[in-house]
PDB file of all heavy atoms in Angstrom:
ATOM      1  N   VAL A   1     137.405  -4.932  58.743  1.00  0.00           N
ATOM      2  CA  VAL A   1     138.588  -5.285  57.867  1.00  0.00           C
ATOM      3  C   VAL A   1     138.738  -4.110  57.023  1.00  0.00           C
ATOM      4  O   VAL A   1     137.865  -3.353  56.570  1.00  0.00           O
ATOM      5  CB  VAL A   1     138.025  -6.381  56.948  1.00  0.00           C
ATOM      6  CG1 VAL A   1     139.095  -6.731  55.872  1.00  0.00           C
ATOM      7  CG2 VAL A   1     137.746  -7.785  57.833  1.00  0.00           C
ATOM      8  N   GLY A   2     140.019  -3.777  56.807  1.00  0.00           N
ATOM      9  CA  GLY A   2     140.319  -2.562  56.060  1.00  0.00           C
ATOM     10  C   GLY A   2     141.614  -2.797  55.130  1.00  0.00           C
ATOM     11  O   GLY A   2     142.446  -3.615  55.447  1.00  0.00           O
ATOM     12  N   VAL A   3     141.578  -2.136  54.069  1.00  0.00           N
ATOM     13  CA  VAL A   3     142.726  -2.105  53.076  1.00  0.00           C
ATOM     14  C   VAL A   3     143.083  -0.685  52.766  1.00  0.00           C
ATOM     15  O   VAL A   3     142.136   0.105  52.446  1.00  0.00           O
ATOM     16  CB  VAL A   3     142.519  -2.954  51.918  1.00  0.00           C
ATOM     17  CG1 VAL A   3     143.622  -2.842  50.882  1.00  0.00           C
ATOM     18  CG2 VAL A   3     142.048  -4.327  52.133  1.00  0.00           C
ATOM     19  N   SER A   4     144.350  -0.351  52.762  1.00  0.00           N
ATOM     20  CA  SER A   4     144.863   0.946  52.381  1.00  0.00           C
ATOM     21  C   SER A   4     146.093   0.974  51.510  1.00  0.00           C
ATOM     22  O   SER A   4     146.940  -0.064  51.799  1.00  0.00           O
ATOM     23  CB  SER A   4     145.037   1.859  53.615  1.00  0.00           C
ATOM     24  OG  SER A   4     146.174   1.360  54.380  1.00  0.00           O
ATOM     25  N   MET A   5     146.180   1.841  50.645  1.00  0.00           N
ATOM     26  CA  MET A   5     147.418   1.893  49.768  1.00  0.00           C
ATOM     27  C   MET A   5     147.560   3.383  49.342  1.00  0.00           C
ATOM     28  O   MET A   5     146.663   4.034  48.925  1.00  0.00           O
ATOM     29  CB  MET A   5     147.169   1.004  48.457  1.00  0.00           C
ATOM     30  CG  MET A   5     148.331   1.132  47.478  1.00  0.00           C
ATOM     31  SD  MET A   5     147.970   0.186  46.007  1.00  0.00           S
ATOM     32  CE  MET A   5     148.218  -1.510  46.647  1.00  0.00           C
ATOM     33  N   PRO A   6     148.840   3.840  49.400  1.00  0.00           N
ATOM     34  CA  PRO A   6     149.062   5.204  48.856  1.00  0.00           C
ATOM     35  C   PRO A   6     148.863   5.183  47.318  1.00  0.00           C
ATOM     36  O   PRO A   6     149.113   4.230  46.658  1.00  0.00           O
ATOM     37  CB  PRO A   6     150.581   5.435  49.164  1.00  0.00           C
ATOM     38  CG  PRO A   6     150.832   4.472  50.206  1.00  0.00           C
ATOM     39  CD  PRO A   6     150.064   3.223  49.961  1.00  0.00           C
ATOM     40  N   ILE A   7     148.442   6.337  46.815  1.00  0.00           N
ATOM     41  CA  ILE A   7     148.228   6.573  45.475  1.00  0.00           C
ATOM     42  C   ILE A   7     149.450   7.283  44.916  1.00  0.00           C
ATOM     43  O   ILE A   7     149.827   8.371  45.269  1.00  0.00           O
ATOM     44  CB  ILE A   7     146.956   7.471  45.214  1.00  0.00           C
ATOM     45  CG1 ILE A   7     145.745   6.837  45.807  1.00  0.00           C
ATOM     46  CG2 ILE A   7     146.793   7.697  43.644  1.00  0.00           C
ATOM     47  CD1 ILE A   7     144.551   7.572  45.668  1.00  0.00           C
ATOM     48  N   PRO A   8     150.214   6.562  44.033  1.00  0.00           N
ATOM     49  CA  PRO A   8     151.458   7.168  43.473  1.00  0.00           C
ATOM     50  C   PRO A   8     151.073   8.250  42.360  1.00  0.00           C
ATOM     51  O   PRO A   8     151.391   8.007  41.164  1.00  0.00           O
ATOM     52  CB  PRO A   8     152.200   5.935  42.825  1.00  0.00           C
ATOM     53  CG  PRO A   8     151.083   5.017  42.511  1.00  0.00           C
ATOM     54  CD  PRO A   8     149.935   5.119  43.473  1.00  0.00           C
ATOM     55  N   LEU A   9     150.574   9.245  42.772  1.00  0.00           N
ATOM     56  CA  LEU A   9     150.155  10.253  41.851  1.00  0.00           C
ATOM     57  C   LEU A   9     151.273  11.280  41.552  1.00  0.00           C
ATOM     58  O   LEU A   9     151.508  11.591  40.378  1.00  0.00           O
ATOM     59  CB  LEU A   9     148.894  10.997  42.443  1.00  0.00           C
ATOM     60  CG  LEU A   9     148.291  12.077  41.468  1.00  0.00           C
ATOM     61  CD1 LEU A   9     147.795  11.428  40.160  1.00  0.00           C
ATOM     62  CD2 LEU A   9     147.208  12.752  42.301  1.00  0.00           C
ATOM     63  N   PHE A  10     151.991  11.744  42.609  1.00  0.00           N
ATOM     64  CA  PHE A  10     152.987  12.694  42.438  1.00  0.00           C
ATOM     65  C   PHE A  10     154.416  12.152  42.582  1.00  0.00           C
ATOM     66  O   PHE A  10     155.378  12.250  41.769  1.00  0.00           O
ATOM     67  CB  PHE A  10     152.858  13.857  43.318  1.00  0.00           C
ATOM     68  CG  PHE A  10     151.536  14.498  43.253  1.00  0.00           C
ATOM     69  CD1 PHE A  10     150.559  14.365  44.292  1.00  0.00           C
ATOM     70  CD2 PHE A  10     151.213  15.240  42.125  1.00  0.00           C
ATOM     71  CE1 PHE A  10     149.366  15.015  44.192  1.00  0.00           C
ATOM     72  CE2 PHE A  10     149.915  15.940  41.977  1.00  0.00           C
ATOM     73  CZ  PHE A  10     149.017  15.684  43.094  1.00  0.00           C
ATOM     74  N   ASN A  11     154.610  11.402  43.738  1.00  0.00           N
ATOM     75  CA  ASN A  11     155.893  10.782  43.972  1.00  0.00           C
ATOM     76  C   ASN A  11     155.892   9.319  43.568  1.00  0.00           C
ATOM     77  O   ASN A  11     155.239   8.431  44.106  1.00  0.00           O
ATOM     78  CB  ASN A  11     156.126  10.891  45.516  1.00  0.00           C
ATOM     79  CG  ASN A  11     157.508  10.241  45.911  1.00  0.00           C
ATOM     80  OD1 ASN A  11     158.279   9.894  45.064  1.00  0.00           O
ATOM     81  ND2 ASN A  11     157.702  10.235  47.177  1.00  0.00           N
ATOM     82  N   ARG A  12     156.605   8.967  42.497  1.00  0.00           N
ATOM     83  CA  ARG A  12     156.777   7.718  41.979  1.00  0.00           C
ATOM     84  C   ARG A  12     158.243   7.261  42.165  1.00  0.00           C
ATOM     85  O   ARG A  12     158.751   6.434  41.304  1.00  0.00           O
ATOM     86  CB  ARG A  12     156.287   7.546  40.517  1.00  0.00           C
ATOM     87  CG  ARG A  12     154.831   7.820  40.426  1.00  0.00           C
ATOM     88  CD  ARG A  12     154.266   7.518  39.079  1.00  0.00           C
ATOM     89  NE  ARG A  12     154.873   8.517  38.140  1.00  0.00           N
ATOM     90  CZ  ARG A  12     154.526   9.731  37.789  1.00  0.00           C
ATOM     91  NH1 ARG A  12     153.443  10.336  38.466  1.00  0.00           N
ATOM     92  NH2 ARG A  12     155.131  10.488  36.901  1.00  0.00           N
ATOM     93  N   ASN A  13     158.940   7.833  42.947  1.00  0.00           N
ATOM     94  CA  ASN A  13     160.436   7.683  43.210  1.00  0.00           C
ATOM     95  C   ASN A  13     161.277   7.905  41.995  1.00  0.00           C
ATOM     96  O   ASN A  13     162.375   7.287  41.751  1.00  0.00           O
ATOM     97  CB  ASN A  13     160.550   6.177  43.670  1.00  0.00           C
ATOM     98  CG  ASN A  13     161.818   5.963  44.589  1.00  0.00           C
ATOM     99  OD1 ASN A  13     162.248   6.826  45.366  1.00  0.00           O
ATOM    100  ND2 ASN A  13     162.470   4.834  44.424  1.00  0.00           N
ATOM    101  N   GLN A  14     160.837   8.854  41.128  1.00  0.00           N
ATOM    102  CA  GLN A  14     161.522   9.033  39.990  1.00  0.00           C
ATOM    103  C   GLN A  14     162.903   9.586  40.162  1.00  0.00           C
ATOM    104  O   GLN A  14     163.884   9.062  39.501  1.00  0.00           O
ATOM    105  CB  GLN A  14     160.735  10.228  39.084  1.00  0.00           C
ATOM    106  CG  GLN A  14     159.348   9.954  38.812  1.00  0.00           C
ATOM    107  CD  GLN A  14     158.379  10.588  39.730  1.00  0.00           C
ATOM    108  OE1 GLN A  14     158.667  10.560  41.078  1.00  0.00           O
ATOM    109  NE2 GLN A  14     157.438  11.247  39.319  1.00  0.00           N
ATOM    110  N   GLY A  15     163.083  10.483  41.127  1.00  0.00           N
ATOM    111  CA  GLY A  15     164.536  10.992  41.355  1.00  0.00           C
ATOM    112  C   GLY A  15     165.482   9.889  41.843  1.00  0.00           C
ATOM    113  O   GLY A  15     166.749   9.834  41.416  1.00  0.00           O
ATOM    114  N   ASN A  16     165.023   9.113  42.735  1.00  0.00           N
ATOM    115  CA  ASN A  16     165.886   7.942  43.252  1.00  0.00           C
ATOM    116  C   ASN A  16     166.254   6.958  42.138  1.00  0.00           C
ATOM    117  O   ASN A  16     167.375   6.447  42.033  1.00  0.00           O
ATOM    118  CB  ASN A  16     165.363   7.328  44.386  1.00  0.00           C
ATOM    119  CG  ASN A  16     165.336   8.129  45.656  1.00  0.00           C
ATOM    120  OD1 ASN A  16     166.135   9.069  45.801  1.00  0.00           O
ATOM    121  ND2 ASN A  16     164.350   7.889  46.565  1.00  0.00           N
ATOM    122  N   VAL A  17     165.291   6.703  41.227  1.00  0.00           N
ATOM    123  CA  VAL A  17     165.582   5.755  40.126  1.00  0.00           C
ATOM    124  C   VAL A  17     166.567   6.385  39.185  1.00  0.00           C
ATOM    125  O   VAL A  17     167.483   5.731  38.697  1.00  0.00           O
ATOM    126  CB  VAL A  17     164.237   5.491  39.373  1.00  0.00           C
ATOM    127  CG1 VAL A  17     164.531   4.840  38.055  1.00  0.00           C
ATOM    128  CG2 VAL A  17     163.282   4.691  40.213  1.00  0.00           C
ATOM    129  N   LEU A  18     166.503   7.707  38.961  1.00  0.00           N
ATOM    130  CA  LEU A  18     167.378   8.295  38.059  1.00  0.00           C
ATOM    131  C   LEU A  18     168.877   8.346  38.651  1.00  0.00           C
ATOM    132  O   LEU A  18     169.777   8.036  37.937  1.00  0.00           O
ATOM    133  CB  LEU A  18     166.955   9.754  37.768  1.00  0.00           C
ATOM    134  CG  LEU A  18     167.933  10.599  36.850  1.00  0.00           C
ATOM    135  CD1 LEU A  18     168.112  10.023  35.516  1.00  0.00           C
ATOM    136  CD2 LEU A  18     167.352  12.079  36.789  1.00  0.00           C
ATOM    137  N   ALA A  19     168.853   8.655  39.943  1.00  0.00           N
ATOM    138  CA  ALA A  19     170.246   8.677  40.616  1.00  0.00           C
ATOM    139  C   ALA A  19     170.840   7.308  40.666  1.00  0.00           C
ATOM    140  O   ALA A  19     172.063   7.120  40.293  1.00  0.00           O
ATOM    141  CB  ALA A  19     170.001   9.178  42.013  1.00  0.00           C
ATOM    142  N   ALA A  20     170.094   6.258  40.928  1.00  0.00           N
ATOM    143  CA  ALA A  20     170.629   4.975  40.833  1.00  0.00           C
ATOM    144  C   ALA A  20     171.138   4.418  39.533  1.00  0.00           C
ATOM    145  O   ALA A  20     172.071   3.773  39.331  1.00  0.00           O
ATOM    146  CB  ALA A  20     169.495   3.924  41.431  1.00  0.00           C
ATOM    147  N   SER A  21     170.291   4.883  38.434  1.00  0.00           N
ATOM    148  CA  SER A  21     170.708   4.488  37.094  1.00  0.00           C
ATOM    149  C   SER A  21     171.957   5.211  36.792  1.00  0.00           C
ATOM    150  O   SER A  21     172.831   4.589  36.109  1.00  0.00           O
ATOM    151  CB  SER A  21     169.501   5.029  36.201  1.00  0.00           C
ATOM    152  OG  SER A  21     170.007   4.736  34.857  1.00  0.00           O
ATOM    153  N   ARG A  22     172.200   6.401  37.172  1.00  0.00           N
ATOM    154  CA  ARG A  22     173.339   7.150  36.831  1.00  0.00           C
ATOM    155  C   ARG A  22     174.584   6.564  37.645  1.00  0.00           C
ATOM    156  O   ARG A  22     175.826   6.500  37.153  1.00  0.00           O
ATOM    157  CB  ARG A  22     173.337   8.648  37.109  1.00  0.00           C
ATOM    158  CG  ARG A  22     172.253   9.302  36.125  1.00  0.00           C
ATOM    159  CD  ARG A  22     172.654   9.189  34.808  1.00  0.00           C
ATOM    160  NE  ARG A  22     171.636   9.694  33.817  1.00  0.00           N
ATOM    161  CZ  ARG A  22     170.699   8.948  33.205  1.00  0.00           C
ATOM    162  NH1 ARG A  22     170.707   7.613  33.368  1.00  0.00           N
ATOM    163  NH2 ARG A  22     169.881   9.553  32.386  1.00  0.00           N
ATOM    164  N   ARG A  23     174.242   6.126  38.829  1.00  0.00           N
ATOM    165  CA  ARG A  23     175.359   5.481  39.578  1.00  0.00           C
ATOM    166  C   ARG A  23     175.841   4.174  38.979  1.00  0.00           C
ATOM    167  O   ARG A  23     177.022   3.798  38.946  1.00  0.00           O
ATOM    168  CB  ARG A  23     174.887   5.164  41.128  1.00  0.00           C
ATOM    169  CG  ARG A  23     175.021   6.425  41.961  1.00  0.00           C
ATOM    170  CD  ARG A  23     174.922   6.077  43.376  1.00  0.00           C
ATOM    171  NE  ARG A  23     173.536   5.779  43.768  1.00  0.00           N
ATOM    172  CZ  ARG A  23     172.713   6.667  44.169  1.00  0.00           C
ATOM    173  NH1 ARG A  23     172.901   7.990  44.320  1.00  0.00           N
ATOM    174  NH2 ARG A  23     171.397   6.238  44.452  1.00  0.00           N
ATOM    175  N   ALA A  24     174.924   3.353  38.414  1.00  0.00           N
ATOM    176  CA  ALA A  24     175.244   2.145  37.699  1.00  0.00           C
ATOM    177  C   ALA A  24     176.039   2.468  36.485  1.00  0.00           C
ATOM    178  O   ALA A  24     177.067   1.771  36.196  1.00  0.00           O
ATOM    179  CB  ALA A  24     173.948   1.397  37.330  1.00  0.00           C
ATOM    180  N   ASP A  25     175.743   3.482  35.695  1.00  0.00           N
ATOM    181  CA  ASP A  25     176.520   3.919  34.601  1.00  0.00           C
ATOM    182  C   ASP A  25     177.879   4.363  35.028  1.00  0.00           C
ATOM    183  O   ASP A  25     179.023   4.074  34.410  1.00  0.00           O
ATOM    184  CB  ASP A  25     175.886   5.040  33.836  1.00  0.00           C
ATOM    185  CG  ASP A  25     174.572   4.621  33.261  1.00  0.00           C
ATOM    186  OD1 ASP A  25     174.423   3.323  32.940  1.00  0.00           O
ATOM    187  OD2 ASP A  25     173.755   5.500  33.011  1.00  0.00           O
ATOM    188  N   GLN A  26     177.963   5.006  36.160  1.00  0.00           N
ATOM    189  CA  GLN A  26     179.301   5.540  36.786  1.00  0.00           C
ATOM    190  C   GLN A  26     180.179   4.319  37.126  1.00  0.00           C
ATOM    191  O   GLN A  26     181.431   4.350  36.902  1.00  0.00           O
ATOM    192  CB  GLN A  26     179.023   6.445  37.986  1.00  0.00           C
ATOM    193  CG  GLN A  26     180.372   7.058  38.604  1.00  0.00           C
ATOM    194  CD  GLN A  26     179.976   7.720  39.802  1.00  0.00           C
ATOM    195  OE1 GLN A  26     179.309   7.293  40.724  1.00  0.00           O
ATOM    196  NE2 GLN A  26     180.616   8.997  39.977  1.00  0.00           N
ATOM    197  N   ALA A  27     179.506   3.349  37.674  1.00  0.00           N
ATOM    198  CA  ALA A  27     180.270   2.181  38.114  1.00  0.00           C
ATOM    199  C   ALA A  27     181.031   1.478  36.928  1.00  0.00           C
ATOM    200  O   ALA A  27     182.085   0.987  36.936  1.00  0.00           O
ATOM    201  CB  ALA A  27     179.428   1.226  38.864  1.00  0.00           C
ATOM    202  N   ARG A  28     180.240   1.454  35.790  1.00  0.00           N
ATOM    203  CA  ARG A  28     180.781   0.862  34.471  1.00  0.00           C
ATOM    204  C   ARG A  28     182.083   1.640  34.108  1.00  0.00           C
ATOM    205  O   ARG A  28     183.147   0.961  33.774  1.00  0.00           O
ATOM    206  CB  ARG A  28     179.717   0.790  33.483  1.00  0.00           C
ATOM    207  CG  ARG A  28     178.570  -0.126  33.786  1.00  0.00           C
ATOM    208  CD  ARG A  28     177.711  -0.184  32.537  1.00  0.00           C
ATOM    209  NE  ARG A  28     176.541  -1.060  32.866  1.00  0.00           N
ATOM    210  CZ  ARG A  28     175.435  -0.578  33.318  1.00  0.00           C
ATOM    211  NH1 ARG A  28     175.219   0.695  33.588  1.00  0.00           N
ATOM    212  NH2 ARG A  28     174.340  -1.495  33.621  1.00  0.00           N
TER     213      ARG A  28
END
């Protein structure tokens, strides 16, 4: 039996979150 999970140490999807947030503002 095994369990594995990536450790979000460096990549926490920050860039994609920022881009999606700005696209939502742009849509308004």
Side-chain angles (χ1 to χ4, degrees):
V1 178
V3 176
S4 65
M5 174 184 288
I7 300 176
L9 183 60
F10 304 109
N11 181 6
R12 296 185 298 276
N13 208 35
Q14 304 97 313
N16 290 334
V17 170
L18 178 61
S21 177
R22 295 300 175 262
R23 277 193 289 268
D25 295 336
Q26 183 187 46
R28 295 184 183 91

